[in-house]
Amino acid sequence: MAPPLISIRGLEVQYRTEDATVYAVNGIDLDVERGETMGLVGETGAGKTTAALSIMRLLPAGTGKITAGGVFFNGVDMLGKTEDEMRRIRGDKISMIFQDPMTSLNPTITMGAQIRESLEIHSPEMTRAEMESRVDELLFSVGIQPRRKYEYPHQFSGGMKQRVVIAIALACRPELLIADEPTTALDVTIQAQVLALMDDLKKQMDTSMILITHDLGVVAETCDSVAIMYAGEIIEKGSVYDIFEATNHHPYTEGLFNSLPDLDRESERLNSIAGLMPDPSALPGGCKFHPRCGKRVEACDSAVPPVCVSGGHYIACHLFGREV
Ligand code: SF4
């Protein structure tokens, strides 16, 4: 049987500064199959972006370090790759889209040239004419008139810029697209269009996707599977059906759902989860959610929660037995 497209096992990532060690990712396991879209969900500081940067081997040099575990792409250990090998993989086999399109765009280069650059790096066998034709095709596929390839980023709106970033990310038909809050910086009306576009293109190209988001509404619309992160750990994961329809949930997942707006109760305030994510340089013992959990039991303060699995639905919590 073919291995998952991406498989993460026991991944631990730390940021080390002179003053402290930040425990950003603390032993996560994840699989993404071919063609699957997985939502990676959690509050700011949960470790979602660090996990994604680890896959790309783009952790900040000097401070960020993978301290344990492995990342396997098509069964091959990515952590054993040289930097040259990783440069060939990035943008070709695995692409990443960031929240702010200007993180990826150069303001001094035309949009067309920026799309072409990706082809020049990863498909040097293409002629200039073939590249220009592919640039036109990509712009057209993201809903932008190809004649606009001669324009610069400042001549585009935020939504249009993110569409060009999507075109760049998909230029080489990557096997995996990692999208880190790709619509958060956009107007609400544009967000849905950009998400629908990404979903459409990934299906056409049979690309798998890891969608990092804090928005469960986006997950429900777009994802096949979901992993929920808290304090650098995955506390619940399963199919989109498991997360949205199953009876049992991790108390943190319940909190995320309770903080969604309820359209039937328009005047009530949202129920946010009390307290804050713990300081990642001084994580609590036992269950890391215990200082905020309204359902904690005695074991929660000191004992690491057992992992309870039912089918593909996984919950790490003392409230459940070995089987959920
Ligand atoms: Fe709450 Fe305990 Fe479950 Fe953690 S293990 S979520 S503290 S009940």
Side-chain angles (χ1 to χ4, degrees), residues 259-281:
S259 57
L260 287 176
D262 184 342
L263 297 179
D264 296 331
R265 290 177 294 150
E266 51 186 79
S267 63
E268 290 190 16
R269 291 170 59 127
L270 297 183
N271 301 308
S272 59
I273 303 169
L276 296 171
M277 182 87 70
D279 175 353
S281 64

Side-chain angles (χ1 to χ4, degrees), residues 14-56:
Q14 297 173 3
Y15 295 104
R16 290 187 187 150
T17 65
E18 278 182 18
D19 306 325
T21 298
V22 171
Y23 298 90
V25 174
N26 301 304
I28 64 169
D29 293 338
L30 276 180
D31 287 333
V32 181
E33 304 291 343
R34 282 165 190 76
E36 178 181 356
T37 296
M38 194 197 70
L40 195 52
V41 179
E43 291 168 285
T44 302
K48 311 180 300 288
T49 298
T50 296
L53 292 175
S54 304
I55 295 172
M56 299 289 281

Side-chain angles (χ1 to χ4, degrees), residues 250-252 287-291 293-297 299-301 303 305 316-319:
H250 190 284
Y252 177 64
C287 170
K288 295 184 176 59
F289 187 57
H290 83 255
C293 183
K295 294 188 172 177
R296 66 202 254 195
V297 294
C300 301
D301 300 13
C317 174
H318 284 292
L319 293 182

Side-chain angles (χ1 to χ4, degrees), residues 11-155:
L11 183 70
E12 294 181 16
V13 185
Q14 297 173 3
Y15 295 104
R16 290 187 187 150
T17 65
E18 278 182 18
D19 306 325
T21 298
V22 171
Y23 298 90
V25 174
N26 301 304
I28 64 169
D29 293 338
L30 276 180
D31 287 333
V32 181
E33 304 291 343
R34 282 165 190 76
E36 178 181 356
T37 296
M38 194 197 70
L40 195 52
V41 179
E43 291 168 285
T44 302
K48 311 180 300 288
T49 298
T50 296
L53 292 175
S54 304
I55 295 172
M56 299 289 281
R57 294 260 309 275
L58 284 175
L59 290 167
T63 53
K65 196 167 177 5
I66 294 173
T67 51
V71 176
F72 301 89
F73 182 66
N74 280 320
V76 177
D77 186 1
M78 298 281 277
L79 305 188
K81 299 271 181 205
T82 64
E83 186 46 37
D84 266 359
E85 288 170 328
M86 282 310 300
R87 258 196 291 274
R88 283 195 288 276
I89 289 170
R90 288 186 209 116
D92 185 25
K93 306 265 185 238
I94 308 177
S95 282
M96 189 157 176
I97 298 173
F98 296 91
Q99 180 175 332
D100 177 2
M102 287 315 290
T103 309
S104 315
L105 294 172
N106 184 330
T108 65
I109 300 178
T110 63
M111 291 300 211
Q114 296 194 56
I115 301 173
R116 200 179 60 234
E117 197 176 29
S118 179
L119 299 170
E120 286 166 353
I121 294 168
H122 298 294
S123 305
E125 72 287 353
M126 288 174 85
T127 64
R128 175 69 184 239
E130 284 168 340
M131 286 186 194
E132 286 305 327
S133 157
R134 177 85 176 124
V135 168
D136 292 355
E137 184 191 322
L138 283 160
L139 280 171
F140 188 75
S141 71
V142 296
I144 295 175
Q145 289 293 329
R147 63 182 157 75
R148 298 199 64 186
K149 67 183 173 182
Y150 303 108
E151 296 180 20
Y152 290 86
H154 74 269
Q155 294 170 281

Side-chain angles (χ1 to χ4, degrees), residues 159-181:
M160 298 279 263
K161 283 199 263 266
Q162 198 60 307
R163 283 167 185 266
V164 174
V165 169
I166 292 168
I168 294 171
L170 296 176
C172 297
R173 301 178 186 275
E175 292 176 61
L176 176 67
L177 178 65
I178 302 175
D180 189 357
E181 304 271 8

